[in-house]
mmCIF file of all heavy atoms in Angstrom:
data_model
loop_
_atom_site.group_PDB
_atom_site.id
_atom_site.type_symbol
_atom_site.label_atom_id
_atom_site.label_comp_id
_atom_site.label_asym_id
_atom_site.label_seq_id
_atom_site.Cartn_x
_atom_site.Cartn_y
_atom_site.Cartn_z
ATOM 1 N N VAL A 1 7.902 -6.982 -1.907
ATOM 2 C CA VAL A 1 7.130 -7.084 -0.679
ATOM 3 C C VAL A 1 6.236 -5.845 -0.540
ATOM 4 O O VAL A 1 5.030 -6.055 -0.216
ATOM 5 C CB VAL A 1 8.069 -7.245 0.428
ATOM 6 C CG1 VAL A 1 7.349 -7.098 1.809
ATOM 7 C CG2 VAL A 1 8.818 -8.515 0.507
ATOM 8 N N VAL A 2 6.761 -4.688 -0.773
ATOM 9 C CA VAL A 2 5.928 -3.479 -0.579
ATOM 10 C C VAL A 2 4.854 -3.421 -1.584
ATOM 11 O O VAL A 2 3.760 -3.160 -1.225
ATOM 12 C CB VAL A 2 6.825 -2.281 -0.712
ATOM 13 C CG1 VAL A 2 5.984 -1.003 -0.593
ATOM 14 C CG2 VAL A 2 7.889 -2.232 0.484
ATOM 15 N N ALA A 3 5.190 -3.742 -2.888
ATOM 16 C CA ALA A 3 4.092 -3.731 -3.848
ATOM 17 C C ALA A 3 2.985 -4.797 -3.624
ATOM 18 O O ALA A 3 1.770 -4.519 -3.840
ATOM 19 C CB ALA A 3 4.636 -4.001 -5.322
ATOM 20 N N LEU A 4 3.444 -5.899 -3.192
ATOM 21 C CA LEU A 4 2.419 -6.959 -2.882
ATOM 22 C C LEU A 4 1.535 -6.555 -1.727
ATOM 23 O O LEU A 4 0.310 -6.802 -1.769
ATOM 24 C CB LEU A 4 3.198 -8.279 -2.478
ATOM 25 C CG LEU A 4 2.280 -9.562 -2.538
ATOM 26 C CD1 LEU A 4 1.906 -9.885 -3.884
ATOM 27 C CD2 LEU A 4 3.180 -10.764 -2.098
ATOM 28 N N SER A 5 2.074 -5.945 -0.741
ATOM 29 C CA SER A 5 1.184 -5.437 0.442
ATOM 30 C C SER A 5 0.283 -4.358 -0.035
ATOM 31 O O SER A 5 -0.877 -4.289 0.412
ATOM 32 C CB SER A 5 2.112 -4.952 1.586
ATOM 33 O OG SER A 5 2.818 -3.824 1.169
ATOM 34 N N LEU A 6 0.734 -3.501 -0.987
ATOM 35 C CA LEU A 6 -0.158 -2.451 -1.460
ATOM 36 C C LEU A 6 -1.306 -3.061 -2.370
ATOM 37 O O LEU A 6 -2.476 -2.676 -2.249
ATOM 38 C CB LEU A 6 0.584 -1.457 -2.309
ATOM 39 C CG LEU A 6 1.518 -0.442 -1.578
ATOM 40 C CD1 LEU A 6 2.328 0.421 -2.507
ATOM 41 C CD2 LEU A 6 0.718 0.402 -0.626
ATOM 42 N N ILE A 7 -0.909 -3.989 -3.144
ATOM 43 C CA ILE A 7 -1.893 -4.508 -4.128
ATOM 44 C C ILE A 7 -2.865 -5.362 -3.419
ATOM 45 O O ILE A 7 -4.121 -5.338 -3.678
ATOM 46 C CB ILE A 7 -1.193 -5.305 -5.242
ATOM 47 C CG1 ILE A 7 -0.341 -4.251 -6.106
ATOM 48 C CG2 ILE A 7 -2.127 -6.080 -6.062
ATOM 49 C CD1 ILE A 7 0.536 -5.125 -7.134
ATOM 50 N N ARG A 8 -2.413 -6.270 -2.411
ATOM 51 C CA ARG A 8 -3.340 -7.139 -1.846
ATOM 52 C C ARG A 8 -4.293 -6.551 -0.855
ATOM 53 O O ARG A 8 -5.479 -6.792 -0.752
ATOM 54 C CB ARG A 8 -2.683 -8.314 -1.171
ATOM 55 C CG ARG A 8 -1.968 -9.340 -2.142
ATOM 56 C CD ARG A 8 -1.495 -10.473 -1.335
ATOM 57 N NE ARG A 8 -1.027 -11.542 -2.293
ATOM 58 C CZ ARG A 8 -0.469 -12.642 -1.953
ATOM 59 N NH1 ARG A 8 -0.180 -12.814 -0.572
ATOM 60 N NH2 ARG A 8 -0.050 -13.564 -2.787
ATOM 61 N N GLU A 9 -3.809 -5.639 -0.001
ATOM 62 C CA GLU A 9 -4.641 -5.016 1.096
ATOM 63 C C GLU A 9 -4.639 -3.588 1.092
ATOM 64 O O GLU A 9 -5.660 -2.956 1.242
ATOM 65 C CB GLU A 9 -4.005 -5.643 2.422
ATOM 66 C CG GLU A 9 -4.056 -7.095 2.539
ATOM 67 C CD GLU A 9 -5.487 -7.726 2.463
ATOM 68 O OE1 GLU A 9 -6.422 -6.935 2.818
ATOM 69 O OE2 GLU A 9 -5.613 -8.824 2.177
ATOM 70 N N GLY A 10 -3.482 -2.993 0.897
ATOM 71 C CA GLY A 10 -3.304 -1.491 1.076
ATOM 72 C C GLY A 10 -4.221 -0.636 0.175
ATOM 73 O O GLY A 10 -5.066 0.096 0.692
ATOM 74 N N VAL A 11 -4.013 -0.861 -1.074
ATOM 75 C CA VAL A 11 -4.776 -0.014 -2.051
ATOM 76 C C VAL A 11 -6.325 -0.329 -2.061
ATOM 77 O O VAL A 11 -7.056 0.611 -1.926
ATOM 78 C CB VAL A 11 -4.230 -0.157 -3.450
ATOM 79 C CG1 VAL A 11 -5.062 0.545 -4.417
ATOM 80 C CG2 VAL A 11 -2.784 0.435 -3.442
ATOM 81 N N PRO A 12 -6.693 -1.573 -2.050
ATOM 82 C CA PRO A 12 -8.186 -1.864 -2.048
ATOM 83 C C PRO A 12 -8.889 -1.176 -0.858
ATOM 84 O O PRO A 12 -9.906 -0.590 -0.974
ATOM 85 C CB PRO A 12 -8.360 -3.306 -2.070
ATOM 86 C CG PRO A 12 -7.073 -3.805 -2.727
ATOM 87 C CD PRO A 12 -5.955 -2.897 -2.308
ATOM 88 N N VAL A 13 -8.202 -1.301 0.394
ATOM 89 C CA VAL A 13 -8.920 -0.742 1.594
ATOM 90 C C VAL A 13 -8.797 0.690 1.684
ATOM 91 O O VAL A 13 -9.812 1.396 1.794
ATOM 92 C CB VAL A 13 -8.362 -1.401 2.794
ATOM 93 C CG1 VAL A 13 -8.913 -0.753 4.120
ATOM 94 C CG2 VAL A 13 -8.564 -2.898 2.816
ATOM 95 N N MET A 14 -7.619 1.206 1.518
ATOM 96 C CA MET A 14 -7.451 2.738 1.615
ATOM 97 C C MET A 14 -8.072 3.548 0.529
ATOM 98 O O MET A 14 -8.724 4.599 0.788
ATOM 99 C CB MET A 14 -5.886 3.028 1.710
ATOM 100 C CG MET A 14 -5.209 2.407 2.786
ATOM 101 S SD MET A 14 -5.818 2.815 4.382
ATOM 102 C CE MET A 14 -5.499 4.482 4.548
ATOM 103 N N ALA A 15 -8.030 2.990 -0.732
ATOM 104 C CA ALA A 15 -8.690 3.750 -1.764
ATOM 105 C C ALA A 15 -10.185 3.633 -1.590
ATOM 106 O O ALA A 15 -10.853 4.676 -1.836
ATOM 107 C CB ALA A 15 -8.288 3.124 -3.111
ATOM 108 N N SER A 16 -10.758 2.608 -1.138
ATOM 109 C CA SER A 16 -12.115 2.425 -1.047
ATOM 110 C C SER A 16 -12.653 3.373 0.117
ATOM 111 O O SER A 16 -13.754 3.971 0.022
ATOM 112 C CB SER A 16 -12.558 0.985 -0.662
ATOM 113 O OG SER A 16 -12.203 0.157 -1.689
ATOM 114 N N LEU A 17 -11.884 3.504 1.172
ATOM 115 C CA LEU A 17 -12.260 4.433 2.268
ATOM 116 C C LEU A 17 -12.228 5.888 1.841
ATOM 117 O O LEU A 17 -13.106 6.582 2.226
ATOM 118 C CB LEU A 17 -11.265 4.122 3.494
ATOM 119 C CG LEU A 17 -11.407 2.868 4.240
ATOM 120 C CD1 LEU A 17 -10.382 2.913 5.360
ATOM 121 C CD2 LEU A 17 -12.819 2.825 4.863
ATOM 122 N N ALA A 18 -11.250 6.133 0.989
ATOM 123 C CA ALA A 18 -11.293 7.444 0.457
ATOM 124 C C ALA A 18 -12.304 7.866 -0.416
ATOM 125 O O ALA A 18 -12.922 8.900 -0.393
ATOM 126 C CB ALA A 18 -9.866 7.698 -0.358
ATOM 127 N N ILE A 19 -12.842 6.802 -1.273
ATOM 128 C CA ILE A 19 -13.998 7.006 -2.059
ATOM 129 C C ILE A 19 -15.198 7.207 -1.273
ATOM 130 O O ILE A 19 -16.089 8.135 -1.567
ATOM 131 C CB ILE A 19 -14.177 5.822 -3.092
ATOM 132 C CG1 ILE A 19 -12.871 5.782 -4.038
ATOM 133 C CG2 ILE A 19 -15.311 6.028 -3.973
ATOM 134 C CD1 ILE A 19 -12.856 4.538 -4.885
ATOM 135 N N VAL A 20 -15.307 6.358 -0.273
ATOM 136 C CA VAL A 20 -16.518 6.467 0.588
ATOM 137 C C VAL A 20 -16.546 7.834 1.240
ATOM 138 O O VAL A 20 -17.600 8.467 1.385
ATOM 139 C CB VAL A 20 -16.469 5.310 1.641
ATOM 140 C CG1 VAL A 20 -17.574 5.575 2.780
ATOM 141 C CG2 VAL A 20 -16.731 3.909 1.027
ATOM 142 N N THR A 21 -15.392 8.334 1.739
ATOM 143 C CA THR A 21 -15.356 9.588 2.340
ATOM 144 C C THR A 21 -15.754 10.731 1.452
ATOM 145 O O THR A 21 -16.432 11.671 1.802
ATOM 146 C CB THR A 21 -13.916 9.905 2.936
ATOM 147 O OG1 THR A 21 -13.641 8.896 3.829
ATOM 148 C CG2 THR A 21 -13.901 11.178 3.648
ATOM 149 N N GLN A 22 -15.277 10.698 0.142
ATOM 150 C CA GLN A 22 -15.495 11.904 -0.761
ATOM 151 C C GLN A 22 -16.856 11.609 -1.498
ATOM 152 O O GLN A 22 -17.630 12.564 -1.603
ATOM 153 C CB GLN A 22 -14.369 11.787 -1.796
ATOM 154 C CG GLN A 22 -14.503 12.825 -2.832
ATOM 155 C CD GLN A 22 -14.119 14.278 -2.361
ATOM 156 O OE1 GLN A 22 -13.446 14.380 -1.362
ATOM 157 N NE2 GLN A 22 -14.537 15.324 -3.058
ATOM 158 N N PHE A 23 -17.120 10.502 -2.000
ATOM 159 C CA PHE A 23 -18.293 10.290 -2.856
ATOM 160 C C PHE A 23 -19.620 9.989 -2.084
ATOM 161 O O PHE A 23 -20.533 10.577 -2.370
ATOM 162 C CB PHE A 23 -17.963 9.185 -3.889
ATOM 163 C CG PHE A 23 -19.137 8.724 -4.746
ATOM 164 C CD1 PHE A 23 -19.472 9.675 -5.768
ATOM 165 C CD2 PHE A 23 -19.752 7.594 -4.596
ATOM 166 C CE1 PHE A 23 -20.626 9.248 -6.578
ATOM 167 C CE2 PHE A 23 -20.859 7.209 -5.454
ATOM 168 C CZ PHE A 23 -21.222 8.095 -6.425
ATOM 169 N N CYS A 24 -19.422 8.993 -1.223
ATOM 170 C CA CYS A 24 -20.695 8.533 -0.655
ATOM 171 C C CYS A 24 -21.328 9.519 0.307
ATOM 172 O O CYS A 24 -22.580 9.608 0.390
ATOM 173 C CB CYS A 24 -20.503 7.212 0.067
ATOM 174 S SG CYS A 24 -19.960 5.771 -0.974
ATOM 175 N N THR A 25 -20.533 10.325 0.970
ATOM 176 C CA THR A 25 -21.039 11.358 1.787
ATOM 177 C C THR A 25 -21.692 12.408 1.069
ATOM 178 O O THR A 25 -22.844 12.878 1.368
ATOM 179 C CB THR A 25 -19.918 11.994 2.677
ATOM 180 O OG1 THR A 25 -18.835 12.464 1.732
ATOM 181 C CG2 THR A 25 -19.395 11.094 3.663
#
C-alpha cells in the first residue's frame, strides 16, 4: 500500500516539485 501510494502519486509529484524548486529557479 505504501509503495503503491509513493509510485503512483507521491514520488512523481514531490520529486517534480523538488526539481522545479532547485533546477527551474
Side-chain angles (χ1 to χ4, degrees):
V1 170
V2 175
L4 199 60
S5 64
L6 286 175
I7 293 172
R8 285 187 175 180
E9 301 297 337
V11 172
V13 174
M14 300 303 295
S16 298
L17 287 176
I19 297 172
V20 169
T21 304
Q22 179 77 19
F23 173 73
C24 296
T25 52

